Amino acid sequence: MYGYLIDMDGVIYRGSQLIPGAERFIHELRTADIPFLFLTNNSQRTRRDVATKLQRLGIEIEDEHVFTCAMATARFLARQKPNGTAFVIGEGGLLNALHSNGYAIVDKDPDYVVVGEGRTLNFEMVEAALGMIHAGAKLVATNLDPNCPTQTGTRPGCGALVAMLEAAAGVKAFSVGKPSPLMLRAARKDLGLTTEQTIVIGDTMETDILGGVQLGFKTILVLSGGTSREDVARYTYRPDKVVESIADLHHAQLAHEFSEANPLDGDEPGPSFGGNHRAAVVTAS
């Protein structure tokens, strides 16, 4: 059984355009009852917002097929300090996730300063956050992506905002989003998969592929996003498979290929491809 963790931007769509083959691949997974999640490092939207966007593009999914870095961050903080408090630089997706995990949003003496993507940042917020960090609040980032793609180009991402606070406060933020094992492992567990059963599909070597490699997942790089075939040679680590786009992927073929690549090792059983199916993880930048 295999399952998928699937990135979105550059894998499923570019801007507002669905990448050819994406609808067919997800329909194939759903028809065969293959587990999968879409992963995104964008903390602005709730999982329902993300699901609605995909549905409007023609992808048949439910809210439960989406896993965001905001969700991963909120779960992590709830384990570290249940019913804690946070000063938030971010938007609805992050606020909703924190509330859902028992956190209160405050503007004085928080346990954590939590930074996500946002379009409403002002210098007063940064100054307030800096004072809270100096007073003992811990700095947490939903991700360290330096920029975010937009319809018209790029804008500063969570990583850029966090870098400003890191420089001013003289501390390093703790990041939960891709390629952090925290987010990828949590997504795998949500699908009920083992390490050997998990496949990551992404378009970015520094997040999707790096995170998958570090955890021992199978990794597939698609070249429909921001990475070219020539770029791959620059990295110490490599994906298990490189394809032009998601249109080149078929679950049955992938299951066969990865099964052949992982023969029985001693007494350890290899992958099984009977009635059960391994889950795939889909990630989004």
Side-chain angles (χ1 to χ4, degrees):
M1 175 179 88
Y2 280 107
Y4 299 86
L5 299 177
I6 307 168
D7 185 29
M8 293 186 293
D9 198 356
V11 177
I12 300 298
Y13 57 76
R14 283 189 298 263
S16 59
Q17 299 298 314
L18 194 67
I19 292 176
E23 180 182 8
R24 187 271 309 158
F25 182 72
I26 300 304
H27 179 73
E28 179 181 312
L29 296 183
R30 298 211 63 180
T31 300
D33 197 25
I34 307 300
F36 67 92
L37 281 174
F38 289 104
L39 302 188
T40 176
N41 258 5
N42 190 323
S43 66
Q44 286 179 257
R45 299 186 178 95
T46 66
R47 70 191 317 188
R48 175 164 293 185
D49 297 334
V50 175
T52 298
K53 175 177 180 175
L54 291 171
Q55 290 161 1
R56 289 181 173 180
L57 289 173
I59 303 295
E60 300 174 3
I61 63 161
E62 277 73 52
D63 297 359
E64 293 71 23
H65 289 109
V66 175
F67 192 82
T68 73
C69 62
M71 294 168 57
T73 300
R75 289 186 188 182
F76 169 75
L77 292 182
R79 291 195 301 272
Q80 294 295 304
K81 188 176 180 61
N83 302 311
T85 59
F87 176 77
V88 175
I89 298 177
E91 297 189 21
L94 180 54
L95 295 169
N96 180 272
L98 287 167
H99 282 147
S100 297
N101 282 272
Y103 260 63
I105 309 304
V106 300
D107 57 10
K108 184 179 180 181
D109 299 326
D111 297 311
Y112 300 95
V113 169
V114 184
V115 184
E117 285 77 21
R119 294 161 291 186
T120 59
L121 177 73
N122 58 53
F123 201 78
E124 285 76 13
M125 295 171 66
V126 175
E127 186 175 355
L130 181 59
M132 294 170 191
I133 295 168
H134 281 154
K138 306 299 187 295
L139 179 59
V140 175
T142 60
N143 68 86
L144 294 178
D145 294 352
N147 53 62
C148 301
T150 69
Q151 296 279 25
T152 57
T154 59
R155 62 177 171 80
C158 181
L161 307 182
V162 169
M164 179 166 54
L165 281 170
E166 288 180 328
V171 302
K172 286 295 183 182
F174 186 88
S175 176
V176 182
K178 299 180 296 177
S180 169
L182 288 170
M183 181 172 177
L184 292 169
R185 187 181 294 116
R188 172 185 68 77
K189 288 183 176 180
D190 270 14
L191 290 176
L193 301 173
T194 66
T195 294
E196 294 76 15
Q197 293 173 327
T198 306
I199 303 170
V200 175
I201 304 174
D203 72 315
T204 307
M205 290 291 290
E206 294 90 346
T207 53
D208 309 314
I209 304 305
L210 175 58
V213 168
Q214 288 177 324
L215 282 172
F217 298 162
K218 307 293 188 300
T219 55
I220 300 174
L221 175 72
V222 297
L223 303 177
S224 50
T227 305
S228 69
R229 196 174 295 272
E230 291 71 27
D231 290 335
V232 178
R234 297 191 290 107
Y235 295 88
T236 304
Y237 53 93
R238 299 177 66 85
D240 292 289
K241 187 177 181 68
V242 180
V243 296
E244 292 299 320
S245 78
I246 198 168
D248 299 314
L249 300 179
H250 299 270
H251 173 71
Q253 180 181 348
L254 290 173
H256 177 73
E257 287 183 17
F258 287 133
S259 177
E260 291 294 314
N262 291 276
L264 295 181
D265 181 16
D267 293 330
E268 292 296 323
S272 168
F273 302 100
N276 294 326
H277 301 279
R278 294 191 175 170
V281 178
V282 183
T283 66
S285 300

